[in-house]
Structures are given as structure tokens and as C-alpha cells.
Amino acid sequence: MNSHILNRFALHLQSCFQQEFARRPGPFRQVELSPELLDVNDKQPAALVFWINKESFFAGAILLFPQNAADGGRCDGNTYARAVGLCNYHIWSVDGITTWRVDTPETTEPLWSLPVPSTVLAGAEDCQSIVRQLREEMQLRFFSAQPTLPQLSALYLANLLHATFQQLLPAVQAANPNLKSSQDQTTNSLLLKFMQLCTMAWSANLPTGISPDDLADVLDLASHEQPTALAATLLARSTPVKFGGEAARLLHKLTLQLHQFGPSLRPHITAAVNHLWPIWAKQSGCIPLPILPDTGIPSLLLYPDHYPTNAAVAVEVAAPGLLAVTATLRHLQAAADAPQQCADPLSLVAPLNVQQVAGALMDSRPATVAEAHEFNARLRISWPNRNLALKSGTPVWAWQLLHLIGLSPSTARFNLFLPADWLQTPFSEQLYLLLVERFALQSIIVDPRGRHQVEFAAAQEMTQLDLVPLSGIKRRIETESPLPYAALRLTLLLSDPLLQLFDRGDLALLDVTKPDPDPAAIGLFLRSTPGRTLWQLLQPKRTLPPTARAVTDCRRHGIPLPRAEMLQALAKLADKRPATTQANLDREIADWLGTACMVSPPAPMSSRTDQRPSVVDDATIAAAATRDGILRFPADFLYDIPQAERARFSAGGPLKIVETFFDAITLSTTDGASLQVNHINTARALLLATSIKNGNEIELPHSGRLTESLLQRYGAHLHQLRTALIKAAAAHHAADVDATVERIWTSLPVPPWALITEHLPPTSSKML
């Protein structure tokens, strides 16, 4: 079976098990299809996790559905089982169902096996019989082989911390309404609390007998007893954050869980935190560090998501919560040398004793007047012999970069990610000239997100400059002196056809020693396809200037223009009436410059260049959320209901309920066609089905009770889909998660969300 069919079959079994649990309660309270787990990716098989307590991350069994795995799915089974703290796992394959113990040799026989008849896919009775037998085996294994606590490993501990962290984020935001607009503050506060817990668990000193409301304060007090440097990092915060209500309860529950593991927890804490560091770094908006030389030279790392191998980290700049993570790791590993730590490179005041600066400066927030005054004062420290002053409104990253250049020795090497527009702003030329005054530019690489990876080193190393634009084709320039600012911009940003025109002189920058050309000619050129492309490439955030400002703006922003004779021809064309059309203008330009430059301007690049990764489009978010497919209603839920037990309905469009009289319910379309049903669940199912498909026949069970079961299963699927969509939008850093989710939801083949919440049975959301 292919992956889509396997997922549908797994979803069907999820419903069967849920019905079995409702019929005969036992230790398993909830079954979930392919939950998000660390070390488990989209390429691994679908799996059903049977939870004893989902909130506490306490699983009782796991059932995998491998697809053509060479080892029958045992490698994936080991990973899944360790991730949820189990010592056994179960596999449903074409050969039947088998039970295996974690990490046993391949030649080992299964602990249990059960043949599965081929009729199980078509017959409800056969399926329920298999479900009951498998449930008995799972419960037997859980009670006989599984310890009272989950099977502890570094992977399980990492998953437990990660799952609780995700539960706590909205709870802390709810307890601090003033912080709802700042996820960074919430994330930092949670990371500080988690590292306080980890250091205390490592020293077997977790607090006990503390009420949930007092726990956060007790953790703060206990952190004062840690070594001085670690205590200062664990207690760092800019804004007080309350842990009350649900947040206090969840934090207290995690503390009790960690305490239950006792001394066996200590060996796994370091590996678990190491596992979570890059995940938390990504969640905080960090960009992966560029690849660095594998040497032990003293380094300054900016917002790292890991420490490079053999890097001697002398200074670390990161958010307070991530500084606590690295400080905790050093404490747990008894590392001898601790780097200097700070949350902002502008807070550094002494000359830096480093030979390498690496990371990302992506804070494009415009500085306020008060911040500009403070930041310029910082520049007087790093550039004592220069009177540097940037204006308010300049993005924060520019001050940070200048400050680091001024504090670093001239022998240092920089490898930084900078925003896409770092060469396209009013202060860019000033910044570039200061940079090449002290260092030699080595390379600029434009990555697929539009960010620029910029490398520069000691000036005496200047021999060649490598520029790699978005096309990926390297442009190497042999030079012994810094490339002029205008030439650098054009060489990096222009497409190959336009750059060739510039190189052979068909396009050139305005010569200040010569009279200005006719503004009408320049205005006409900027209207052409190559003119608009040039403007969009070099000034993506500005609209085309009016004719009166065309000369001034092209000179100010370094826009190359055609030769004088071509501009004269365009001036004559501009005088013609009626005005020339776009097609005629492009033909005239092509006669002079050739057709290769007739490429439409690129789509404007997103201006979002802050520390978080760029926002992707709705299609990418939707694809991530719907990777397991969207089930059709009711067709995909009828395979266990015999044809004789189904009724057929026909509607010419979306239905609405117009009248209810005891059990008789009348529904009507917008054109007045009506039909009557005798059960509210049938009416609800028709409302949902016709909101997606119009004019098609719809089959539903005769029985209202069976229809209710369909609605519950469909509701569980829709709520699971909605949750996946919310997570995907948040993971891709949508500016407005709610608006993004609603916009994508309306584009999917699902009923409107308002209709779902109004008409689905209230128990449906609990089946997730």
C-alpha cells in the first residue's frame, strides 16, 4: 500500500480503537496518529501512539505501519519507542502484526505475532476482532514489561521537555496578557525556568512539597545557590513574567515528573539539552551558523544554534534564554572556560580579543530617536577617533555591525548573514567604505531566502572577491584594492544580461562632469522592461520616481542608464503624441540593447529581515499541515458500513436548516430546493458535506447513531488538521497566525470553521 492509503487505514484504526476504549475503558485513554516527535520525520512510517496520559507524555503502546521497509520497520520502531519512552513496539505489515522489544538483534523472533486476514480491510467485524486482540496484547505488554515510569533515555527526556515547553508557551502568554505580542519574552522566560529545573535535577536538588503558585519563585531562589556566573545567567530577565494558573500547574507537573526519575535522570540531561538547543534556537529565530574553519581560534558567535567543532568561543551573543542553555551545558559538562555572554553586541565595550566573528545580524527594526542617541554613544567607544553618527530610523543591525568592526582587531575574520537590503539603503555606502577601510571583502553569497552571507578579513589578504548572486553562478573578481561601492552593487545584484551591458558600456552610471540628460528620456527608460528591472533590483523598496526627479534619483541610487545617443533617441520618442505604448517602447529598447535584457523585474522581496526566518507562502504552510492528506466526507468514512445500511441524498448546493419539528428536520438550498431528514446527526452531516461539494449525491448511514460516529471521526480529523495548520503557520513565522490559518482553511476542501464548531458533536475535539 502507498503512504496515503496507509495513512487512511491508520486513521480508520484510530477510530476503531477509540470506539473500543469507549466501549470498554482501560489504561489507554487516547490514541493519536503520528504525533510530532523529535528524531521522527515525515519520511518515517505512520504510527498510532496509545497514550496513558498525553499531557504528561506517558505512552502505553505504539503501532507502526511501515511501507516497504527493508528491515520490516524495526529501525523506525526503535526510534519511535525510545521517543515516547517504551520498551516494546508493534508493527502492522502485510505479513500480519508483530510485537518487538526495543534494540533486539535482527535475527530475534518477535515477542508475539498475529496473522491478519485480507478481509480486515473490507469487513468491520474482522477489523474489530483484530483490534480487540491487539488491544489485549498491548495491555499485557504494558503491564508485564513496561516499568511504572516511562523508559528513560536522552531522546525521551528531550521529547518530554519539548512537549511540555509547547504546552507552556500559550499558558504563560495567557498568564501575562501584556506579553501576548512578544513571543520572544515568553520563550526566554520559559527557557530560563527549564534550565533552572535541569541544573537542579542534575544535582538531585529538585524542590518538593511546593505549591504550584510558589514554584517559580522557589526556582529563582534556589538558582542563587548556583556558581556566580551560572546564577547570573539563569536569573537574567528584562520583564517580570508570572507563572500562574495553568502555567503554574504545568510547570509543577513537569517538576514532579523529573523528580520521580530520581538519580537515573542525571546521565541523560546533558544529551537532552544538547538535542533541544538547535530546536529552541530556531524557535527563537536564530539562523544556522555559516560553515566555519574547523580550528580553535578565539571566536565571537552571534545568535548561534550550536558550537562549531573545536571553536574556542570567547564571546557569545544570544537571547537570554539561549545564553542560559549554553551556560547550563557548560556547567553540566564541567567546562573550564566560560565565554563572555551578552544579549546585544552593542553592550560590548572593551576591545575584542577574537580572531573570528560569525553569525547573523538581522534586526531590521528602525531605531527610535532615543535609541539612536544611545547607539551613537556606543560608536564613540568602538570608533574613538571617528565622529560616526547614524540617523534615527536606521535599522539596529547597522549599528551592531559598525560597533563590532570597530571593537575587533584588524586581523579578525568575519562571516556574517546580513539582510538582503544591506547594500540598498541610504547609509549603505558609508557602511561599506568603513568596512573596506579596515578589512578586505572576500565574498558575498546570496542565499535562497535573499539573505547575504558576507565574509571579510584582514586587508592584506585582498587578492580576489567572489560574488555569488541568487542565480548561484560565481562571479570572481581579481583585485588588489576595494571594489568601488557602485560597481560592487551592480556586479552582485544585476542579472547576467544587464551586467554584460554594463561591462561593455551600453549601460553606465551618470557622469557628474557632464550635463544631465533629458529627464523625459530617463523617465521613459525607467518605464521599459529593462529599466523597471534595474530599478527593482537596485531599489526594491522604492517606487519609480516621477519624471521630474528621474535624474536626481538615478544618480542618488546608482541606477545605470543607456549611452547618450540612446537617451537622445528616447527623448525624441518622449515628445511624440500620442504617448508610446509599452510594447513599442520595449521594441525600441531591444533595437539598442538586444532582446536578452527583456526580462521582467523580479517580484519584490519580503522586507521581513529580522532575526526570524523569512515567512513562506501559504502553499508551503498548507503542504506542511496536510502532508497526511485531507479525508473526503463522508466517502472516506463509509468503508466499514455495508451498502445496504446506507441512504442516498441529493442536493443542488449548500444546505441550511430551515425548520425543525420534533425529529423531522427540513433543509433547503439557496434556490429553494428542500429535503427532509429524521435525525439531527443526518442533518449535520448534510450541512457539512454540501458545504464542500455541490450537486453531487451523498451517501450516509440510515442509522443516526452510525452517522454520529462518522461525525466524531470527521471532527477529530478536522481538529487535528486545524491544529497542524496552526503549528505549521507558527513554525514558518506567519506574521498573523490566526489570519493565515483562516485564509488557508478557506482554500482547502473542508467546511467553513464556523460551521464545524457549530454543528459537529461537542465530543469530536476530544478524540484527537
Side-chain angles (χ1 to χ4, degrees), residues 424-443:
Q424 299 164 312
T425 60
F427 58 85
S428 293
E429 184 170 8
Q430 177 190 5
L431 189 151
Y432 173 74
L433 293 176
L434 288 169
L435 188 158
V436 298
E437 180 181 306
R438 298 200 60 193
F439 297 96
L441 193 61
Q442 304 283 305
S443 68

PDB file of all heavy atoms in Angstrom, residues 424-443:
ATOM      1  N   GLN A 424      21.473  48.509  -0.162  1.00  0.00           N
ATOM      2  CA  GLN A 424      20.466  49.277  -0.894  1.00  0.00           C
ATOM      3  C   GLN A 424      19.786  50.338  -0.026  1.00  0.00           C
ATOM      4  O   GLN A 424      18.656  50.711  -0.289  1.00  0.00           O
ATOM      5  CB  GLN A 424      19.403  48.310  -1.452  1.00  0.00           C
ATOM      6  CG  GLN A 424      19.988  47.296  -2.430  1.00  0.00           C
ATOM      7  CD  GLN A 424      19.042  46.135  -2.673  1.00  0.00           C
ATOM      8  OE1 GLN A 424      18.514  45.557  -1.742  1.00  0.00           O
ATOM      9  NE2 GLN A 424      18.827  45.806  -3.927  1.00  0.00           N
ATOM     10  N   THR A 425      20.463  50.816   0.993  1.00  0.00           N
ATOM     11  CA  THR A 425      19.880  51.794   1.904  1.00  0.00           C
ATOM     12  C   THR A 425      20.683  53.090   1.861  1.00  0.00           C
ATOM     13  O   THR A 425      21.820  53.110   1.351  1.00  0.00           O
ATOM     14  CB  THR A 425      19.878  51.240   3.342  1.00  0.00           C
ATOM     15  OG1 THR A 425      21.234  50.974   3.727  1.00  0.00           O
ATOM     16  CG2 THR A 425      19.077  49.953   3.435  1.00  0.00           C
ATOM     17  N   PRO A 426      20.148  54.193   2.389  1.00  0.00           N
ATOM     18  CA  PRO A 426      20.870  55.468   2.337  1.00  0.00           C
ATOM     19  C   PRO A 426      22.224  55.440   3.033  1.00  0.00           C
ATOM     20  O   PRO A 426      23.134  56.183   2.658  1.00  0.00           O
ATOM     21  CB  PRO A 426      19.901  56.435   3.037  1.00  0.00           C
ATOM     22  CG  PRO A 426      18.553  55.822   2.852  1.00  0.00           C
ATOM     23  CD  PRO A 426      18.777  54.345   2.895  1.00  0.00           C
ATOM     24  N   PHE A 427      22.390  54.577   4.048  1.00  0.00           N
ATOM     25  CA  PHE A 427      23.650  54.544   4.789  1.00  0.00           C
ATOM     26  C   PHE A 427      24.592  53.449   4.289  1.00  0.00           C
ATOM     27  O   PHE A 427      25.694  53.280   4.821  1.00  0.00           O
ATOM     28  CB  PHE A 427      23.376  54.322   6.280  1.00  0.00           C
ATOM     29  CG  PHE A 427      22.624  53.048   6.556  1.00  0.00           C
ATOM     30  CD1 PHE A 427      23.289  51.841   6.695  1.00  0.00           C
ATOM     31  CD2 PHE A 427      21.246  53.056   6.666  1.00  0.00           C
ATOM     32  CE1 PHE A 427      22.593  50.671   6.923  1.00  0.00           C
ATOM     33  CE2 PHE A 427      20.545  51.884   6.899  1.00  0.00           C
ATOM     34  CZ  PHE A 427      21.226  50.690   7.029  1.00  0.00           C
ATOM     35  N   SER A 428      24.163  52.677   3.277  1.00  0.00           N
ATOM     36  CA  SER A 428      24.942  51.513   2.849  1.00  0.00           C
ATOM     37  C   SER A 428      26.336  51.886   2.366  1.00  0.00           C
ATOM     38  O   SER A 428      27.321  51.202   2.678  1.00  0.00           O
ATOM     39  CB  SER A 428      24.195  50.762   1.753  1.00  0.00           C
ATOM     40  OG  SER A 428      23.017  50.187   2.241  1.00  0.00           O
ATOM     41  N   GLU A 429      26.447  52.962   1.598  1.00  0.00           N
ATOM     42  CA  GLU A 429      27.763  53.323   1.063  1.00  0.00           C
ATOM     43  C   GLU A 429      28.707  53.725   2.182  1.00  0.00           C
ATOM     44  O   GLU A 429      29.878  53.322   2.199  1.00  0.00           O
ATOM     45  CB  GLU A 429      27.634  54.453   0.039  1.00  0.00           C
ATOM     46  CG  GLU A 429      28.966  54.806  -0.617  1.00  0.00           C
ATOM     47  CD  GLU A 429      28.811  55.752  -1.794  1.00  0.00           C
ATOM     48  OE1 GLU A 429      27.694  56.263  -2.016  1.00  0.00           O
ATOM     49  OE2 GLU A 429      29.810  55.966  -2.506  1.00  0.00           O
ATOM     50  N   GLN A 430      28.207  54.502   3.148  1.00  0.00           N
ATOM     51  CA  GLN A 430      29.037  54.898   4.292  1.00  0.00           C
ATOM     52  C   GLN A 430      29.519  53.660   5.051  1.00  0.00           C
ATOM     53  O   GLN A 430      30.690  53.543   5.411  1.00  0.00           O
ATOM     54  CB  GLN A 430      28.239  55.813   5.228  1.00  0.00           C
ATOM     55  CG  GLN A 430      28.998  56.218   6.486  1.00  0.00           C
ATOM     56  CD  GLN A 430      28.100  56.921   7.511  1.00  0.00           C
ATOM     57  OE1 GLN A 430      26.892  57.022   7.302  1.00  0.00           O
ATOM     58  NE2 GLN A 430      28.681  57.403   8.594  1.00  0.00           N
ATOM     59  N   LEU A 431      28.605  52.710   5.264  1.00  0.00           N
ATOM     60  CA  LEU A 431      28.954  51.496   5.998  1.00  0.00           C
ATOM     61  C   LEU A 431      29.992  50.687   5.226  1.00  0.00           C
ATOM     62  O   LEU A 431      30.964  50.183   5.803  1.00  0.00           O
ATOM     63  CB  LEU A 431      27.691  50.679   6.248  1.00  0.00           C
ATOM     64  CG  LEU A 431      27.783  49.467   7.173  1.00  0.00           C
ATOM     65  CD1 LEU A 431      26.437  49.228   7.867  1.00  0.00           C
ATOM     66  CD2 LEU A 431      28.174  48.212   6.413  1.00  0.00           C
ATOM     67  N   TYR A 432      29.800  50.552   3.909  1.00  0.00           N
ATOM     68  CA  TYR A 432      30.730  49.776   3.090  1.00  0.00           C
ATOM     69  C   TYR A 432      32.124  50.398   3.101  1.00  0.00           C
ATOM     70  O   TYR A 432      33.140  49.690   3.230  1.00  0.00           O
ATOM     71  CB  TYR A 432      30.200  49.687   1.659  1.00  0.00           C
ATOM     72  CG  TYR A 432      31.175  49.053   0.688  1.00  0.00           C
ATOM     73  CD1 TYR A 432      31.419  47.690   0.705  1.00  0.00           C
ATOM     74  CD2 TYR A 432      31.859  49.837  -0.242  1.00  0.00           C
ATOM     75  CE1 TYR A 432      32.314  47.105  -0.182  1.00  0.00           C
ATOM     76  CE2 TYR A 432      32.758  49.265  -1.142  1.00  0.00           C
ATOM     77  CZ  TYR A 432      32.986  47.905  -1.103  1.00  0.00           C
ATOM     78  OH  TYR A 432      33.878  47.338  -1.974  1.00  0.00           O
ATOM     79  N   LEU A 433      32.198  51.716   3.005  1.00  0.00           N
ATOM     80  CA  LEU A 433      33.505  52.386   2.995  1.00  0.00           C
ATOM     81  C   LEU A 433      34.230  52.206   4.323  1.00  0.00           C
ATOM     82  O   LEU A 433      35.460  52.041   4.357  1.00  0.00           O
ATOM     83  CB  LEU A 433      33.325  53.866   2.669  1.00  0.00           C
ATOM     84  CG  LEU A 433      32.829  54.171   1.241  1.00  0.00           C
ATOM     85  CD1 LEU A 433      32.592  55.657   1.057  1.00  0.00           C
ATOM     86  CD2 LEU A 433      33.816  53.642   0.198  1.00  0.00           C
ATOM     87  N   LEU A 434      33.483  52.224   5.435  1.00  0.00           N
ATOM     88  CA  LEU A 434      34.102  51.978   6.742  1.00  0.00           C
ATOM     89  C   LEU A 434      34.587  50.538   6.845  1.00  0.00           C
ATOM     90  O   LEU A 434      35.638  50.264   7.437  1.00  0.00           O
ATOM     91  CB  LEU A 434      33.098  52.280   7.857  1.00  0.00           C
ATOM     92  CG  LEU A 434      32.784  53.752   8.106  1.00  0.00           C
ATOM     93  CD1 LEU A 434      31.601  53.895   9.042  1.00  0.00           C
ATOM     94  CD2 LEU A 434      34.012  54.461   8.683  1.00  0.00           C
ATOM     95  N   LEU A 435      33.826  49.633   6.269  1.00  0.00           N
ATOM     96  CA  LEU A 435      34.209  48.217   6.322  1.00  0.00           C
ATOM     97  C   LEU A 435      35.520  47.988   5.560  1.00  0.00           C
ATOM     98  O   LEU A 435      36.456  47.369   6.084  1.00  0.00           O
ATOM     99  CB  LEU A 435      33.079  47.372   5.743  1.00  0.00           C
ATOM    100  CG  LEU A 435      33.156  45.845   5.858  1.00  0.00           C
ATOM    101  CD1 LEU A 435      31.752  45.242   5.741  1.00  0.00           C
ATOM    102  CD2 LEU A 435      34.040  45.220   4.774  1.00  0.00           C
ATOM    103  N   VAL A 436      35.591  48.473   4.302  1.00  0.00           N
ATOM    104  CA  VAL A 436      36.783  48.208   3.484  1.00  0.00           C
ATOM    105  C   VAL A 436      37.954  49.079   3.907  1.00  0.00           C
ATOM    106  O   VAL A 436      39.086  48.858   3.458  1.00  0.00           O
ATOM    107  CB  VAL A 436      36.472  48.403   1.982  1.00  0.00           C
ATOM    108  CG1 VAL A 436      35.406  47.411   1.532  1.00  0.00           C
ATOM    109  CG2 VAL A 436      36.044  49.828   1.672  1.00  0.00           C
ATOM    110  N   GLU A 437      37.714  50.052   4.761  1.00  0.00           N
ATOM    111  CA  GLU A 437      38.810  50.844   5.311  1.00  0.00           C
ATOM    112  C   GLU A 437      39.673  49.988   6.240  1.00  0.00           C
ATOM    113  O   GLU A 437      40.889  50.171   6.322  1.00  0.00           O
ATOM    114  CB  GLU A 437      38.232  52.045   6.060  1.00  0.00           C
ATOM    115  CG  GLU A 437      39.260  52.971   6.681  1.00  0.00           C
ATOM    116  CD  GLU A 437      38.592  54.108   7.426  1.00  0.00           C
ATOM    117  OE1 GLU A 437      37.761  54.812   6.813  1.00  0.00           O
ATOM    118  OE2 GLU A 437      38.881  54.285   8.623  1.00  0.00           O
ATOM    119  N   ARG A 438      39.030  49.035   6.945  1.00  0.00           N
ATOM    120  CA  ARG A 438      39.750  48.207   7.918  1.00  0.00           C
ATOM    121  C   ARG A 438      39.932  46.769   7.457  1.00  0.00           C
ATOM    122  O   ARG A 438      40.844  46.090   7.909  1.00  0.00           O
ATOM    123  CB  ARG A 438      39.003  48.198   9.257  1.00  0.00           C
ATOM    124  CG  ARG A 438      38.879  49.557   9.913  1.00  0.00           C
ATOM    125  CD  ARG A 438      38.581  49.400  11.380  1.00  0.00           C
ATOM    126  NE  ARG A 438      39.634  48.665  12.068  1.00  0.00           N
ATOM    127  CZ  ARG A 438      39.517  48.181  13.295  1.00  0.00           C
ATOM    128  NH1 ARG A 438      38.394  48.334  13.949  1.00  0.00           N
ATOM    129  NH2 ARG A 438      40.517  47.522  13.847  1.00  0.00           N
ATOM    130  N   PHE A 439      39.059  46.298   6.573  1.00  0.00           N
ATOM    131  CA  PHE A 439      39.093  44.895   6.171  1.00  0.00           C
ATOM    132  C   PHE A 439      38.984  44.772   4.656  1.00  0.00           C
ATOM    133  O   PHE A 439      38.633  45.735   3.965  1.00  0.00           O
ATOM    134  CB  PHE A 439      37.950  44.113   6.830  1.00  0.00           C
ATOM    135  CG  PHE A 439      38.036  44.062   8.331  1.00  0.00           C
ATOM    136  CD1 PHE A 439      37.327  44.974   9.116  1.00  0.00           C
ATOM    137  CD2 PHE A 439      38.820  43.114   8.970  1.00  0.00           C
ATOM    138  CE1 PHE A 439      37.405  44.934  10.492  1.00  0.00           C
ATOM    139  CE2 PHE A 439      38.903  43.064  10.346  1.00  0.00           C
ATOM    140  CZ  PHE A 439      38.194  43.976  11.119  1.00  0.00           C
ATOM    141  N   ALA A 440      39.278  43.559   4.164  1.00  0.00           N
ATOM    142  CA  ALA A 440      39.140  43.255   2.739  1.00  0.00           C
ATOM    143  C   ALA A 440      37.935  42.346   2.553  1.00  0.00           C
ATOM    144  O   ALA A 440      37.837  41.291   3.193  1.00  0.00           O
ATOM    145  CB  ALA A 440      40.401  42.569   2.223  1.00  0.00           C
ATOM    146  N   LEU A 441      37.037  42.751   1.687  1.00  0.00           N
ATOM    147  CA  LEU A 441      35.862  41.932   1.393  1.00  0.00           C
ATOM    148  C   LEU A 441      36.298  40.689   0.616  1.00  0.00           C
ATOM    149  O   LEU A 441      36.987  40.789  -0.397  1.00  0.00           O
ATOM    150  CB  LEU A 441      34.863  42.758   0.579  1.00  0.00           C
ATOM    151  CG  LEU A 441      33.445  42.193   0.432  1.00  0.00           C
ATOM    152  CD1 LEU A 441      32.773  42.042   1.781  1.00  0.00           C
ATOM    153  CD2 LEU A 441      32.622  43.115  -0.469  1.00  0.00           C
ATOM    154  N   GLN A 442      35.913  39.505   1.112  1.00  0.00           N
ATOM    155  CA  GLN A 442      36.323  38.246   0.492  1.00  0.00           C
ATOM    156  C   GLN A 442      35.223  37.652  -0.390  1.00  0.00           C
ATOM    157  O   GLN A 442      35.496  37.157  -1.477  1.00  0.00           O
ATOM    158  CB  GLN A 442      36.689  37.225   1.573  1.00  0.00           C
ATOM    159  CG  GLN A 442      37.765  37.687   2.534  1.00  0.00           C
ATOM    160  CD  GLN A 442      39.150  37.615   1.918  1.00  0.00           C
ATOM    161  OE1 GLN A 442      39.570  36.577   1.443  1.00  0.00           O
ATOM    162  NE2 GLN A 442      39.851  38.733   1.922  1.00  0.00           N
ATOM    163  N   SER A 443      33.988  37.650   0.102  1.00  0.00           N
ATOM    164  CA  SER A 443      32.906  37.048  -0.682  1.00  0.00           C
ATOM    165  C   SER A 443      31.555  37.534  -0.180  1.00  0.00           C
ATOM    166  O   SER A 443      31.412  37.922   0.991  1.00  0.00           O
ATOM    167  CB  SER A 443      32.967  35.513  -0.607  1.00  0.00           C
ATOM    168  OG  SER A 443      32.670  35.059   0.700  1.00  0.00           O
TER     169      SER A 443
END
